Amino acid sequence: MRMGPDVPLLNDYKQEFFLKRFPQTLLGGPRFRLGYCAPPYIYVNQLILFLTPWLWGGVGTLLYQLGVMRDFCTAALSGGLMFVTALALQLTNLYAKQKTVTVERMQIQSTLTDEDEFEFSSCVGSETVKFIIPGKKYIINTVLHSLLAGVLCGLGTWYLLPNRITLLYSNLGGTVVIFVLGWVTICIGEYSLIINTATETATFQALDTYEITALMRPFYIFVFIAVDLAHRFAVNAPILEQTNQILHILFLFLPFLWAMGILPPLDALFLWGMEQLLEFGLGGSPMSSNTKLLVMFLISAGTAIASYFIPSPLGVILFMTGFGFILSLNLSEIGFAFKHTMSSHLGPSKSQNAHRGLRIQFGWREFIFYVTMLAFALTEASLLHQFAGSSLFSPASPQAIASYILILLLVILWILREIQRVYLFGVFRNPFYPKDVRTVDVFMEKQRRLMKVGVVRRILLTLVSPFAMIAFLSLDRSLQNPHSVSVSIGFTRIFRMVWQNTENALLDVVVVSAAQMLMFNPDLWWNRSLDTGIKLLLVGLLRDRLLQFLSKLHFAVAILLTSWTEKKQRRRSSAALIALNVAFFPVLLALVAVSALLSSPLLPLFTLPVFLVGFPRPLRSWPGPVGGSACVCSDTVYYRQLVPSLATALQGALAAGGLGLSLPGSHYLCRFQDRLMWILVLEKGFTYCGVNIKGLELQETSCHAAEAHRVDEIFEMAFEHQEHTRILSPNPHFGHILTPCTVVPVRLYSDARNVLSGIIDSHENLKHLKDDFVKVLVWMLVQHCYKKSKTWESPGSANKSKQGSFPENQHSGAVKGSRALREEDSFSVDTMEDWTDDSDIFDFEASSRTRDRKELGQLGLTPKVHLSIPGSVETQSQDFLQEMSPEDKLNRAVVLGLPAVDKGKQPEVLPRVEFSCSYSELLSIPEEWRTAPVPSSKVSEMRQRFPEEWYHFVLSQLDFFHLKEKPSSLLTDLMKDKALKDLYIHGVLSCCFGLFGLDNAVPAPRHVFRAYTGGIPWSAGLDWLTGKPELFQLALKAFRYTFKLMLDKASLGPVENFKELVNYLEEYESDWYIGLVSDLEWQQAVLQEKPYLFSLGHDPSMGIYTGRVLTLQELLVQVGKLNAEAVRGQWANLSWELLYATNDDEERYSIQAHPALLRNLTVQAADPPLGYPVYSSQLLQLPLF
């Protein structure tokens, strides 16, 4: 249900909750706003504890100012006093927890705030201590955090000594302000560390298992103090002095930065830091998991450090070139392939079982290719550096010639990439792209030229560009003197980036070489102070931040404009918010710039035009493992089926450039019918790309449908309505966060739903349904018995095999046991022992007695015979029936309107069937399948209705190839065997009796639907049939085939002959799954990629019956690129809103449909528990070789 735009952003309860939580976050943990009346000492105690660090720091400061103690002694004294105080407070909490004093809850009206209201008995009571000082979960943290509190207080005292501040600023007023507000910052950090940790607005992990959150604020304080200590002990460092002056002022704003959530928590900080250093400092790529990120960071850092100690310039170049190439490869896939190869040599059988179904993407072909590339790269780098690397840069120098080649390559690759997409630069229609793309054949025919262009681009990008850049770098004079940190870092990075991220590396090298050609003056700062490696590093960093700035600005402007242009997003506050943003537009630009500089998301609060700088976090945005969780449901199976084919299709599109510049952190949206696939690029290297594919829900809510409709509209305008458009026509949806890229052929299921009115309710169709059912059932029974016969070696052993071929059917065993009992002992006193005057005649004892009899028979004991009451119909017992009322038992025991069945009368012995053909035993149906209680008149009637010609035709189709010795007249003898035909007549009649009863009337559509779904009302025939599970499943399958046959005859025309009918049934058996969507077999059929699936449905509200057909075929899936910063910004707001504001209302404003931002779809695509995709793949390694 969609709500209007003016719904509250937070409901009343959440507003009150937020107003209590935010002051606690701002002050570091003190709870001065409780929402209920508490004794004054609660507030006084918290205030005293909050100011305690300042008290001890003030004592030390006073002693230092009076000249009693030196500065480091003062710091030690203050730190020691704080350590003792913190430890004492933690021990007090432990003592309070050990006391068995129950905290009683106050009796209040509102139950929503019940859990927060306590009754306090005294100022230092145990309940007061536990409320103010919650304590630590782990003993080690009790000691560690107390020690850190002491160190923090001591160093803080040293950091804020008035004399020290005066030396920095020479201003008494500034010293007082910094001293006072600085101690407020330290008190906030101390309180969150040792007293009560506040909930941070910057939350990355949903759970703080190891109490790391308490260390966040002290960590940032230590960073500021570390700079001050460096300045104290450094000599003649003006940069450090200026930095220290700036940080002392920034130190006062730390509480504001913490409260706004700009500073990241420690786990996000270290992951983000490693990712940034790996990408921009070491030339690598973001990784898909924390472990891979850590390992790759350590290896890459070790490579850069090792290059510094290599004495020979030629050795440095060979080392950087070789390791740059190796580290850019998909090392995890290579390691897996190596492990698989080794295990296959050591234990072939074990290896085959362990890795069955896994596609090895690294083989001998790839190995030879990589070794060849590495050899050529090393040879080229060494030769060029040795013979041409000492010349100065000039317009005619070898390095300048390499620059011209690189500029030409960049222009060609850029053009070839753009013409692969439907829109040039996302703005103008590409005249070379196929128009009106609807079918795979037409698209592939029109796409053939672009595919050739894609191959050329792939060759230039993979084989030509890296070698051209290596030539440019090897000729650089900076490598003549490699023993400097800047050369080691800069060139290690670019020699790896040449392979890891070729397109961006090419752009960076062209920019640097162009600047070098334009600025030949060696006295310029750019040429004098920076070597080529550092220039490339700065250009790469600037390029990334500039692109982020433009994407974030696009996102901010989109929110601003759509908050007014989209009527359903227009709130009463929209005009005021837009006016404020326009008036303070420079501030907005500054926020966007800071966000881009930190590579952190731009957070729109509640997705309104109120912008904050989110805390920096890894590009994948979520802490959990990729594909670790999803909201699995019945729709998941469709995504599991299509993802392998979609991944294969994406390989070609990525390699050809059809998806634009795909970098780690890029988001794509794919659409086909009701399916939405969300693709996130996680890592990328030389000839490989790692992606995660998510599937969004198929059951469209109103919000989901509104945004999906806009997605369809954008793709249709791009791909399906272009036959009358002008050349270079503009993109009608330019500015939307989704930009169409291309279409890719994917093997998946198309979903067609049809209304069956006029077919299922046609009297003519229903009249032939029973006759067709008999034919289909005959074919089904013959095929079933024929398949069973393939396990029998000879006709002589058929009898033994037949006895054990249907183990799941236990009815015949009970019949034989009861028959033996009747012959051996007709009556005994024990048979009446259960009947007493107090017995309840409606007790459900029949099935339990039968069960007891079976169990006793298996143990070899003689079971007792229990008699039932004539005229009653017994049903199976369940454990819960013992608790039923007598009225319920009456209703279940005696079913009114049904014929009385004498359960006490045992079935008669069936005579042994005498076959005229000895091979008939191979096709004989089990004896218990012909024991249905059917009148003899119905048997005679079935003999007349039995399709004998069809029966003979079905037998004639059998080949019996599995029999080594068989007579030539085998099929003729089987057809002439009347006993075998009588068996099938009884078997068919038994199934008809179970599904249709004894009535010959034409079945109604409702009965047909219930028979198809297996939900037929109870009858004596159905009760007998369900007692034979295997036969019941065959009958149900035959009926579903018959219903599908009725539909095909109604749409394609009548069946001309038996051969055509057999073709229909064989096609159903091999290529179709005909059943229900809710069946487990339906999901298995989808995963097995059955060509067709059919299901029958019913809409009770409209009273119509529907048919659903899934057809497996190669179809075109539309792919568009999303504004990655818009996604990251909305995910940042989602994380803040759910983890901090706990605004989990399913109808909240920020989850409502926003067609311009795709807000609802973006929320769905987030990782659980915040999002709810129905499918999320593991990391998919796409080889682009």
Side-chain angles (χ1 to χ4, degrees), residues 370-591:
Y370 291 145
V371 169
T372 305
M373 293 287 288
L374 179 60
F376 272 108
L378 293 174
T379 304
E380 179 196 23
S382 59
L383 292 177
L384 288 176
H385 176 77
Q386 192 71 19
F387 297 107
S390 58
S391 60
L392 292 173
F393 187 86
S394 64
S397 65
Q399 193 175 20
I401 296 173
S403 300
Y404 301 143
I405 296 174
L406 289 173
I407 293 173
L408 182 63
L409 275 174
L410 177 65
V411 173
I412 294 174
L413 286 172
W414 177 64
I415 293 173
L416 296 182
R417 185 185 71 202
E418 286 300 320
I419 64 175
Q420 295 287 329
R421 305 166 65 190
V422 66
Y423 288 117
L424 300 175
F425 319 111
V427 181
F428 300 106
R429 168 76 191 187
N430 180 6
F432 301 100
Y433 197 85
K435 293 184 178 181
D436 196 22
V437 178
R438 296 179 188 270
T439 62
V440 177
D441 295 336
V442 174
F443 171 74
M444 297 305 291
E445 181 66 28
K446 294 181 177 180
Q447 183 78 352
R448 190 167 298 168
R449 289 179 300 172
L450 289 182
M451 291 174 65
K452 295 177 181 177
V453 172
V455 172
V456 173
R457 180 184 178 276
R458 190 183 312 183
I459 292 173
L460 291 177
L461 186 65
T462 306
L463 302 179
V464 179
S465 298
F467 291 103
M469 285 186 281
I470 288 176
F472 174 86
L473 296 172
S474 301
L475 295 169
D476 195 84
R477 293 190 75 244
S478 302
L479 289 172
Q480 295 296 328
N481 183 23
H483 289 288
S484 69
V485 175
S486 62
V487 170
S488 295
I489 293 176
F491 279 92
T492 299
R493 170 188 174 274
I494 192 60
F495 270 108
R496 177 176 178 182
M497 191 177 173
V498 160
W499 307 99
Q500 188 93 46
N501 193 345
T502 308
E503 291 185 82
N504 280 342
L506 182 60
L507 177 60
D508 296 347
V509 172
V510 166
V511 170
V512 170
S513 61
Q516 199 165 356
M517 284 188 284
L518 295 175
M519 294 184 294
F520 284 110
N521 187 355
D523 295 329
L524 290 175
W525 170 82
W526 176 262
N527 292 328
R528 185 183 70 253
S529 303
L530 301 177
D531 59 69
T532 304
I534 295 300
K535 291 177 185 177
L536 289 167
L537 190 151
L538 293 176
V539 168
L541 189 62
L542 181 64
R543 166 189 46 78
D544 178 79
R545 295 313 192 249
L546 181 60
L547 291 177
Q548 283 198 41
F549 177 82
L550 295 177
S551 296
K552 294 176 195 293
L553 188 61
H554 173 207
F555 175 46
V557 171
I559 291 182
L560 270 174
L561 295 179
T562 56
S563 64
W564 185 260
T565 56
E566 294 276 348
K567 291 184 178 179
K568 293 184 178 179
Q569 307 301 325
R570 193 181 300 168
R571 299 173 60 88
R572 285 191 292 268
S573 60
S574 295
L577 291 175
I578 293 174
L580 286 173
N581 278 278
V582 172
F584 295 96
F585 191 70
V587 177
L588 175 60
L589 286 179
L591 288 174

Side-chain angles (χ1 to χ4, degrees), residues 357-373:
L358 292 173
R359 178 175 175 266
I360 304 301
Q361 298 172 354
F362 185 83
W364 285 109
R365 185 186 66 171
E366 288 79 7
F367 178 75
I368 294 173
F369 171 74
Y370 291 145
V371 169
T372 305
M373 293 287 288

Side-chain angles (χ1 to χ4, degrees), residues 1078-1097:
S1078 57
D1079 293 342
L1080 178 62
E1081 292 82 0
W1082 178 280
Q1083 298 191 16
Q1084 294 173 349
V1086 171
L1087 295 178
Q1088 294 167 3
E1089 295 196 338
K1090 278 274 188 181
Y1092 307 96
L1093 292 89
F1094 174 82
S1095 175
L1096 177 64

Side-chain angles (χ1 to χ4, degrees), residues 35 89 178 229 315 323 371 397 431 635 650 783 855 868 896 1048:
L89 290 173
I178 292 175
L229 292 177
F323 269 91
V371 169
S397 65
D635 297 334
L650 289 175
Q783 292 295 321
E855 293 172 356
S868 302
L896 301 179
D1048 290 343

Side-chain angles (χ1 to χ4, degrees), residues 814-824 906-910:
V815 173
K816 294 178 182 177
S818 61
R819 181 170 67 247
L821 284 171
R822 186 174 65 250
E823 293 174 355
E824 180 180 319
Q906 302 298 331
E908 296 180 0
V909 180
L910 293 175

Side-chain angles (χ1 to χ4, degrees), residues 879-1175:
D879 295 338
F880 70 91
L881 296 178
Q882 299 175 2
E883 302 176 1
M884 293 179 65
S885 63
E887 293 81 5
D888 293 335
K889 293 180 180 181
L890 173 62
N891 292 334
R892 289 183 62 95
V894 180
V895 183
L896 301 179
L898 296 174
V901 179
D902 188 358
K903 289 287 187 176
K905 183 178 180 182
Q906 302 298 331
E908 296 180 0
V909 180
L910 293 175
R912 179 176 176 80
V913 179
E914 298 293 339
F915 295 114
S916 61
C917 174
S918 61
Y919 286 88
S920 296
E921 292 183 358
L922 297 175
L923 300 180
S924 174
I925 66 175
E927 179 181 319
E928 61 271 16
W929 286 12
R930 47 192 176 89
T931 59
V934 182
S936 56
S937 59
K938 289 295 179 182
V939 178
S940 302
E941 183 180 334
M942 178 54 71
R943 281 198 176 94
Q944 297 175 0
R945 292 176 51 200
F946 189 75
E948 189 168 348
E949 293 182 2
W950 166 251
Y951 168 71
H952 290 162
F953 181 81
V954 171
L955 290 180
S956 67
Q957 301 297 305
L958 304 179
D959 49 40
F960 290 100
F961 286 150
H962 57 283
L963 296 181
K964 297 178 181 179
E965 298 179 0
K966 59 182 179 181
S968 58
S969 61
L970 172 59
L971 295 179
T972 305
D973 295 341
L974 289 174
M975 294 178 194
K976 293 180 180 179
D977 195 332
K978 294 183 178 180
L980 182 62
K981 187 180 75 171
D982 283 345
L983 285 183
Y984 280 93
I985 291 174
H986 279 87
V988 170
L989 179 59
S990 300
C991 295
C992 291
F993 174 54
L995 294 180
F996 298 108
L998 299 176
D999 191 5
N1000 290 328
V1002 176
R1006 180 173 179 80
H1007 183 86
V1008 171
F1009 174 75
R1010 299 186 71 171
Y1012 183 95
T1013 58
I1016 310 171
W1018 188 93
S1019 66
L1022 180 65
D1023 189 49
W1024 176 89
L1025 185 59
T1026 52
K1028 318 292 181 294
E1030 191 173 12
L1031 180 61
F1032 176 70
Q1033 290 302 321
L1034 283 174
L1036 183 62
K1037 187 177 179 181
F1039 185 84
R1040 290 174 174 177
Y1041 282 16
T1042 306
F1043 182 83
K1044 183 64 175 66
L1045 180 64
M1046 181 184 76
L1047 295 184
D1048 290 343
K1049 289 166 61 178
S1051 57
L1052 303 177
V1055 178
E1056 299 294 338
N1057 49 51
F1058 289 159
K1059 182 64 177 176
E1060 185 178 354
L1061 179 55
V1062 168
N1063 291 338
Y1064 269 117
L1065 297 178
E1066 288 178 347
E1067 183 185 355
Y1068 294 161
E1069 188 70 21
S1070 60
D1071 296 342
W1072 286 78
Y1073 175 77
I1074 302 174
L1076 297 174
V1077 177
S1078 57
D1079 293 342
L1080 178 62
E1081 292 82 0
W1082 178 280
Q1083 298 191 16
Q1084 294 173 349
V1086 171
L1087 295 178
Q1088 294 167 3
E1089 295 196 338
K1090 278 274 188 181
Y1092 307 96
L1093 292 89
F1094 174 82
S1095 175
L1096 177 64
H1098 177 55
D1099 187 350
S1101 60
M1102 301 181 65
I1104 58 174
Y1105 296 92
T1106 57
R1108 182 182 183 186
V1109 178
L1110 298 186
T1111 305
L1112 183 66
Q1113 52 188 323
E1114 194 171 46
L1115 297 167
L1116 295 176
V1117 172
Q1118 300 152 336
V1119 186
K1121 189 173 185 178
L1122 293 158
N1123 184 333
E1125 294 304 324
V1127 175
R1128 294 183 68 204
Q1130 293 182 75
W1131 280 356
N1133 172 71
L1134 175 68
S1135 177
W1136 177 89
E1137 197 172 347
L1138 266 67
L1139 296 181
Y1140 181 76
T1142 65
N1143 188 24
D1144 55 354
D1145 186 357
E1146 293 183 354
E1147 299 295 340
R1148 62 185 182 274
Y1149 171 78
S1150 61
I1151 203 176
Q1152 301 303 309
H1154 196 312
L1157 298 180
L1158 304 182
R1159 183 168 56 193
N1160 185 269
L1161 297 181
T1162 304
V1163 170
Q1164 285 186 52
D1167 279 9
L1170 304 186
Y1172 46 97
V1174 299
Y1175 172 80

Side-chain angles (χ1 to χ4, degrees), residues 119 506 850:
E119 183 177 351
L506 182 60
T850 305

